Amino acid sequence: MTETVKYFASLLARVEPRLATRCRAVYDPEQDANPPGMVLSELSIAALQQQDYQKAIGLLERARSRMPESPMILNNLAYAYLQAETSSPDRALLLVDQAIRIANQQGISNTDFSQFLHTRGTALMQLNRLDEARGAFLEALVGRPENIEIIESLVKCCEGSDELQAEVF
């Protein structure tokens, strides 16, 4: 069975719960001692959605070892480190900056790039580098101008600031 089929079986099991049993009959990643990086990445999305950040980190670190040049895996790992009980914004910033460098070389979509900038802004905000965080959030809005999460992050970043930036509002 190809890695692509394994990935799509894992994806379909996550997004269509009514088909999960059938998908796992074709391919069950829990029974695979060495699942492909794409499958590990897919499993991590379910963990992120369940807010099980430690599980997501474990899956994403394994996926990263198999696919070290995947900007999406690097970004999702950075996000998980930011959301984990013991947040690690320094590590997250290194990971998302690596994702951005690779993404620039690969030419990814504005939507994906916007996600990376949002993650970067969140890391910078946790590091109390608020001016840089605001800039990352504003740049993220270029790719997804109506994204509520980015707007909320930007407002949160500006809270308590004496100056409301005209370009924001």
Side-chain angles (χ1 to χ4, degrees), residues 72-147:
M72 193 58 73
I73 289 172
L74 292 166
N75 179 70
N76 289 350
L77 183 56
Y79 175 80
Y81 276 119
L82 290 170
Q83 300 303 316
E85 190 172 321
T86 306
S87 180
S88 183
D90 288 317
R91 183 177 184 120
L93 185 59
L94 290 172
L95 289 164
V96 74
D97 282 348
Q98 183 182 0
I100 289 170
R101 277 191 305 277
I102 294 168
N104 278 328
Q105 295 168 353
Q106 295 178 356
I108 66 163
S109 73
N110 284 343
T111 301
D112 287 343
F113 198 73
S114 173
Q115 291 174 4
F116 300 170
L117 291 168
H118 187 195
T119 302
R120 186 173 200 279
T122 303
L124 290 165
M125 192 166 58
Q126 285 188 16
L127 291 167
N128 204 31
R129 293 166 53 182
L130 300 180
D131 288 338
E132 291 174 86
R134 279 191 285 272
F137 293 139
L138 287 170
E139 196 174 344
L141 282 170
V142 171
R144 297 182 296 161
E146 296 178 12
N147 184 280

